[in-house]
Amino acid sequence: MRVSGHYIRLAWVALLTSYASIASALTLGNVELIVNPSGRVPLSALLRCTTDAPTSATLHIQYEDGKQRMLEQSDTLLEHAIPVLGLEVDRVHRIHAVLKERSGAMVSTEIFELKTEPLPADFPLLRVNTARPRRMERGITLIPTTRWPGLGQPDRTFGLILGVNAQGDVVWYYQSDHNIAAIEQLRNGNLLYHHGRKGHAIEIDFLGNVIHHWYARRMRTEDIPGSIPIDTDTIHHDVQELPNGNFLAISTEVRHFDAFPSSETVPDAPLQPAYVIGDVIVEYKRDGTVVGRWPLLDL
């Protein structure tokens, strides 16, 4: 388990059994299960192991109600880092992996028994009014949420991305210490979300690891270590991945006008000098290079 950035080997986990190698020619080593490795996704784990020959892996999860789920990884590797996702809240799960060599030799890890925690006390209250699974897309539904300070809540904001199944049960969630606006799934399978009010776009994987962090540089006095600056004023409301792999974002600019309407509602209001904020559509590469700008004030 990882708590506050520290790894603890799951020596305390109740191992239900220890599988012997089905083929003695295949050796398994360095097996460990790391719960919530990023510290941001409590309903996740990472199963690590090594084999002395390249193998494919199949992850097995057995739930409390007896149902089982398998996830196959076709890549043949010597070192495996298998994401364990889709865990249920406050439940016991039995988890192991089977490694298979091309020759057919197989070996299995021991079975780990993992008990997940209940949802936090300040978690949003969820209620299912209607559920029609047969009319839904397969998979989970992702929902961005933000709590604002005030209204009897502690004076802080936080963001969550909730993953719920067809019955409305939480089976995945990502915690941040800032608010979260729009989210989308990228072609590589990761998630891209907009950091609500700060002009950031952040790519994460489903274990909660930050893959890329972009931010609008022009209104900052210093860079953010480990992040990618974009030469623009802001990023707001939405970021979209383009077919060419670049991103399209909404930004802003400020222009001065010598004569601008002094009212939005009075037709004959006098003109006066004004600074006006206008949106700018910006295209940027993954390295932050801006390759296109379309100021809406020019359109």
Side-chain angles (χ1 to χ4, degrees):
M1 178 178 291
R2 183 180 183 184
V3 180
S4 300
H6 299 287
Y7 286 94
I8 303 173
R9 178 66 76 87
L10 287 183
W12 53 268
V13 173
L15 302 181
L16 302 183
T17 186
S18 179
Y19 277 63
S21 173
I22 297 175
S24 59
L26 191 59
T27 303
L28 182 68
N30 302 318
V31 181
E32 61 177 344
L33 183 69
I34 304 168
V35 180
N36 191 10
S38 70
R40 297 286 189 182
V41 184
L43 297 179
S44 73
L46 186 66
L47 180 59
R48 291 185 177 275
C49 61
T50 61
T51 50
D52 61 347
T55 54
S56 58
T58 302
L59 178 72
H60 295 255
I61 304 176
Q62 182 175 351
Y63 297 84
E64 272 191 348
D65 60 5
K67 68 180 180 182
Q68 299 188 40
R69 188 162 62 92
M70 293 191 304
L71 175 64
E72 296 184 0
Q73 293 191 337
S74 58
D75 293 339
T76 53
L77 305 169
L78 292 172
E79 299 183 4
H80 291 273
I82 309 169
V84 182
L85 304 171
L87 303 179
E88 297 178 347
V89 175
D90 197 19
R91 295 288 188 272
V92 175
H93 306 76
R94 300 174 66 193
I95 300 165
H96 74 282
V98 175
L99 296 306
K100 183 177 181 179
E101 195 182 9
R102 288 181 178 176
S103 66
M106 293 188 295
V107 65
S108 175
T109 68
E110 62 263 41
I111 295 180
F112 293 93
E113 187 176 85
L114 171 60
K115 173 69 162 58
T116 55
E117 298 293 329
L119 294 176
D122 60 357
F123 206 81
L125 298 178
L126 302 177
R127 182 180 65 189
V128 178
N129 292 322
T130 303
R132 298 174 181 170
R134 292 185 178 181
R135 300 185 64 181
M136 298 178 186
E137 290 282 353
R138 296 179 60 187
I140 66 172
T141 298
L142 297 173
I143 306 170
T145 68
T146 294
R147 182 178 70 184
W148 295 87
L151 300 177
Q153 300 287 351
D155 188 18
R156 68 181 181 91
T157 60
F158 75 91
L160 289 170
I161 302 176
L162 307 182
V164 298
N165 62 16
Q167 290 72 42
D169 301 318
V170 176
V171 294
W172 183 89
Y173 64 98
Y174 171 81
Q175 300 170 304
S176 76
D177 53 7
H178 51 255
N179 53 3
I180 291 176
I183 60 172
E184 70 164 310
Q185 188 168 19
L186 303 178
R187 291 197 302 274
N188 62 12
N190 292 335
L191 297 180
L192 177 71
Y193 74 84
H194 178 247
H195 178 344
R197 300 161 64 191
K198 297 295 184 180
H200 300 240
I202 301 173
E203 178 186 355
I204 61 171
D205 63 20
F206 273 90
L207 290 175
N209 300 303
V210 175
I211 308 303
H212 292 96
H213 180 170
W214 298 274
Y215 67 95
R217 180 179 58 82
R218 289 185 181 178
M219 298 185 69
R220 294 190 60 88
T221 58
E222 58 185 18
D223 289 336
I224 302 175
S227 301
I228 303 171
I230 302 172
D231 184 25
T232 190
D233 288 2
T234 62
I235 301 173
H236 68 86
H237 282 87
D238 200 11
V239 180
Q240 292 288 325
E241 184 181 28
L242 296 173
N244 64 5
N246 294 345
F247 295 96
L248 206 63
I250 309 175
S251 182
T252 54
E253 65 170 340
V254 179
R255 293 191 191 181
H256 182 267
F257 290 85
D258 292 329
F260 196 83
S262 58
S263 172
E264 296 180 353
T265 58
V266 179
D268 57 350
L271 302 180
Q272 64 185 22
Y275 287 95
V276 178
I277 298 176
D279 281 341
V280 181
I281 307 302
V282 174
E283 180 182 352
Y284 66 91
K285 295 182 178 180
R286 281 188 168 268
D287 65 2
T289 303
V290 174
V291 295
R293 298 181 192 270
W294 295 269
L296 298 195
L297 290 177
D298 289 344
L299 301 181

